[in-house]
Amino acid sequence: MYKTDAYAHTRPNAGVTIAPFIYKDEKIKVLLYKRSETSEVYQNLYSLPNRFFDITEFEDLQSAAHFALKEKTNVDIPHMTQFHTFSGQYIDPTRIITINTCYYSILREEEVAVGEEKGEFETKWVDIEEAMTYELAFNHNEVLVMAYQKVKAAAEYTTAPIHFLPKEFTIRELRILTSLLIDQPLDDSRFRQRIEKTGILIKCEGKMKKGANRPAQLFIYNDDYEGFFYPRSVTAPK
Amino acid sequence: MYKTDAYAHTRPNAGVTIAPFIYKDEKIKVLLYKRSETSEVYQNLYSLPNRFFDITEFEDLQSAAHFALKEKTNVDIPHMTQFHTFSGQYIDPTRIITINTCYYSILREEEVAVGEEKGEFETKWVDIEEAMTYELAFNHNEVLVMAYQKVKAAAEYTTAPIHFLPKEFTIRELRILTSLLIDQPLDDSRFRQRIEKTGILIKCEGKMKKGANRPAQLFIYNDDYEGFFYPRSVTAPK
DNA sequence: GTAATAGTGTCTTTTAGACAGTATCGA
DNA sequence: TCGATACTGTCTAAAAGACACTATTAC
């Protein structure tokens, strides 16, 4: 029976890694923590939040990922998407072959309770471009690259980036965020047409965002459109 | 050190599952095999090709998936895509918690050496709609549903379905296949425009497919477009 | 000839792209 | 007033959608 430990030596280590992103000051940031001096491996290196999948502790990978994210960010109901499972000896060369299931998480900055550092973990939010230049623990460099690529791809066709913004936001805010993720300028008029036509946003009647200019209409996301795919990429062909 | 067996009892079973698809007689078929009477679990049920991930046998999940597919289909260089990792006690209730990393494979019918049955495994290609009605082993019902959904989604925006067709094929063949996957009729003229404009196909000069009608130009796939995304879904908006 | 599929042309409607023009706030 | 951002409108170009039309084979 596989239930016994007869096969134990044939089983891999398993773990989860989460790439938690926020959008702050018009930049995408990712959460890293510094591994302690006394870690078994990859001492003192920065790392994405992660967790070994210990079956005496967790029922499934999702729970382990959830735990690891909450431990570092204190966000309880995260927007979390599994995007790939890596495997091989290379992930953690000093141990046995490891399976690493990875998630990215699009978080609302205002809901992230943890700032820089906190008790046992030294955590920090790092500009994504800068984080890419770090030497990270385990295979987290490739994890981070793929995670960010998936987030950017989602911005092309889906409404996923909305989860970066506050509950109530303006069309301008969504446009600037989208423009950042797809790395292209977007025509304001065209963007409004595209958005408003689909019905993905609900106007907050009477609520306006004030500034040193004409007040802007606030909207909330229409959850019915979760998983919605635009029939066309926001990026123009050519 | 995690390398020892001290943590062995905390490690999950790991395995891979492959949903191998072919396109035959204008239908999508999936390969199932019948589990033997003497299997430890799920005796006599149909199952997708699968394999435990034994770290003394495989270096990574990809190799295990490759092995499991070749064992059942004899296809050596498959088009294989990882799409999700399931986990939990429910996958194999009588054993320990299992992690199941899943792949779908789009195969060329002509390259699949195995037909119905073969030696130690009783295998068969089942119409996808019919297979969905089976009671499958492990969590293979949900695996199959998600696998086929991913293949269909790929048909909306990418050139992936081309891997179902013979190396040389006509535009009509590609249109009928695409139409099947997206479950919508496609205008022939429009479809040609879309395809030819991108340059994803290369004309086989002088080669024509003959039938009881005007001969049709044969094309091959331009591999440069592997991973290509159409800026717009093949499905019309509304 | 007919049936069948291949392939082209063309007209209409829809969408995209660019950008001008007006609106409303704070200072 | 001005600067800034919020919108709305409009013209043009491109793409989609529908479908008529011609082409070439087997029979």
Side-chain angles (χ1 to χ4, degrees):
Chain A
M1 288 290 284
Y2 286 73
K3 201 161 188 163
T4 72
D5 274 349
Y7 291 88
H9 68 287
T10 71
R11 298 204 291 258
N13 271 333
V16 294
T17 300
I18 304 94
F21 295 108
I22 56 169
Y23 175 61
K24 190 179 180 182
D25 305 332
E26 303 203 348
K27 287 184 172 175
I28 302 294
K29 292 165 188 284
V30 65
L31 185 73
L32 301 178
Y33 76 96
K34 193 168 188 177
R35 294 177 59 82
S36 83
E37 190 112 39
T38 58
S39 295
E40 277 189 60
V41 291
Y42 297 109
Q43 299 87 354
N44 298 315
L45 285 183
Y46 279 101
S47 168
L48 293 166
N50 58 339
R51 188 87 187 177
F52 269 97
F53 181 56
D54 176 334
I55 62 170
T56 66
E57 193 179 358
F58 300 109
E59 289 202 338
D60 54 32
L61 293 166
Q62 181 80 21
S63 310
H66 192 161
F67 181 95
L69 183 62
K70 186 169 184 189
E71 179 182 54
K72 299 283 196 306
T73 65
N74 216 30
V75 175
D76 208 2
I77 310 172
H79 181 277
M80 207 159 67
T81 306
Q82 189 196 108
F83 67 88
H84 194 70
T85 298
F86 296 86
S87 60
Q89 180 72 62
Y90 71 98
I91 292 176
D92 187 350
T94 66
R95 304 184 191 174
I96 64 172
I97 289 174
T98 297
I99 296 183
N100 183 23
T101 299
C102 299
Y103 298 77
Y104 67 79
S105 182
I106 293 179
L107 300 172
R108 208 165 265 133
E109 190 229 328
E110 57 189 5
E111 290 179 0
V112 175
V114 185
E116 316 288 294
E117 350 226 333
K118 178 209 163 195
E120 56 185 317
F121 305 109
E122 184 187 330
T123 58
K124 66 172 178 178
W125 292 96
V126 183
D127 279 6
I128 178 67
E129 303 300 343
E130 191 191 336
M132 301 269 207
T133 68
Y134 283 29
E135 183 199 344
L136 301 175
F138 305 100
N139 67 328
H140 290 186
N141 282 97
E142 68 176 338
V143 172
L144 180 58
V145 167
M146 195 186 282
Y148 190 49
Q149 180 222 306
K150 296 283 178 184
V151 170
K152 287 194 293 187
E156 285 277 356
Y157 287 93
T158 78
T159 57
I162 286 177
H163 299 283
F164 273 124
L165 297 175
K167 280 257 163 60
E168 300 183 343
F169 54 89
T170 66
I171 292 193
R172 173 194 171 82
E173 288 167 339
L174 181 55
R175 175 171 52 81
I176 293 188
L177 166 61
T178 306
S179 183
L180 172 68
L181 291 171
I182 68 169
D183 196 28
Q184 280 196 21
L186 289 169
D187 181 82
D188 182 53
S189 172
R190 190 69 206 91
F191 189 75
R192 283 168 194 275
Q193 281 172 38
R194 177 184 166 97
I195 294 277
E196 288 178 354
K197 194 169 201 174
T198 59
I200 60 168
L201 299 189
I202 299 168
K203 196 184 279 192
C204 305
E205 286 301 342
K207 286 200 174 182
M208 308 298 271
K209 173 152 191 168
K210 296 200 172 184
N213 47 37
R214 176 173 166 181
Q217 179 64 54
L218 285 169
F219 293 85
I220 59 167
Y221 179 46
N222 184 345
D223 283 325
D224 296 349
Y225 285 80
E226 193 63 62
F228 174 75
F229 253 64
Y230 288 95
R232 182 173 183 139
S233 153
V234 67
T235 307
K238 206 171 6 357
Chain B
M1 289 290 284
Y2 285 73
K3 205 157 187 167
T4 72
D5 273 350
Y7 292 87
H9 69 287
T10 70
R11 298 204 291 257
N13 271 333
V16 294
T17 300
I18 303 93
F21 295 107
I22 56 168
Y23 175 60
K24 190 178 181 182
D25 306 330
E26 303 202 347
K27 286 183 173 177
I28 302 294
K29 293 167 187 282
V30 64
L31 186 73
L32 301 178
Y33 76 96
K34 194 168 187 176
R35 294 176 60 82
S36 83
E37 190 111 39
T38 57
S39 295
E40 278 190 56
V41 291
Y42 295 109
Q43 299 87 352
N44 298 315
L45 284 183
Y46 279 101
S47 168
L48 292 166
N50 57 339
R51 188 84 188 178
F52 269 100
F53 181 55
D54 177 333
I55 61 169
T56 65
E57 193 178 357
F58 301 109
E59 288 205 337
D60 54 32
L61 293 166
Q62 181 80 19
S63 310
H66 193 163
F67 182 95
L69 183 63
K70 184 167 187 191
E71 179 183 54
K72 298 283 195 306
T73 65
N74 217 28
V75 174
D76 209 2
I77 310 173
H79 182 276
M80 207 159 68
T81 305
Q82 190 197 106
F83 65 89
H84 194 70
T85 297
F86 297 87
S87 59
Q89 183 69 66
Y90 75 98
I91 293 174
D92 190 350
T94 65
R95 303 182 193 172
I96 64 173
I97 289 175
T98 296
I99 295 183
N100 184 22
T101 298
C102 299
Y103 298 77
Y104 67 79
S105 183
I106 293 179
L107 300 172
R108 208 165 266 132
E109 190 230 329
E110 56 189 4
E111 290 179 1
V112 176
V114 186
E116 318 287 294
E117 340 219 347
K118 178 210 162 194
E120 54 185 318
F121 305 109
E122 184 187 331
T123 57
K124 66 172 176 176
W125 291 97
V126 183
D127 280 5
I128 178 68
E129 303 299 343
E130 192 191 335
M132 301 268 206
T133 68
Y134 283 28
E135 183 198 345
L136 300 176
F138 304 100
N139 67 326
H140 290 186
N141 283 96
E142 68 175 344
V143 172
L144 180 58
V145 167
M146 194 187 281
Y148 190 49
Q149 180 222 307
K150 296 283 178 185
V151 170
K152 287 194 293 185
E156 286 276 357
Y157 288 94
T158 78
T159 56
I162 287 177
H163 298 283
F164 273 125
L165 296 175
K167 280 259 164 60
E168 299 184 342
F169 54 89
T170 66
I171 292 193
R172 173 194 171 82
E173 288 167 340
L174 181 56
R175 175 171 53 79
I176 293 186
L177 166 61
T178 306
S179 183
L180 172 68
L181 290 171
I182 67 168
D183 195 27
Q184 280 195 23
L186 289 169
D187 181 81
D188 182 53
S189 172
R190 188 71 205 90
F191 190 75
R192 284 170 192 275
Q193 281 171 38
R194 177 183 166 95
I195 295 275
E196 289 180 353
K197 194 169 201 174
T198 60
I200 60 168
L201 300 189
I202 298 166
K203 197 184 279 191
C204 304
E205 287 301 343
K207 285 201 174 181
M208 308 297 273
K209 175 153 192 166
K210 295 200 173 188
N213 47 37
R214 174 174 169 181
Q217 179 64 54
L218 285 168
F219 293 85
I220 60 167
Y221 179 46
N222 183 347
D223 284 323
D224 296 347
Y225 285 80
E226 192 63 61
F228 175 75
F229 254 63
Y230 288 96
R232 182 170 183 140
S233 154
V234 66
T235 307
K238 190 110 83 324

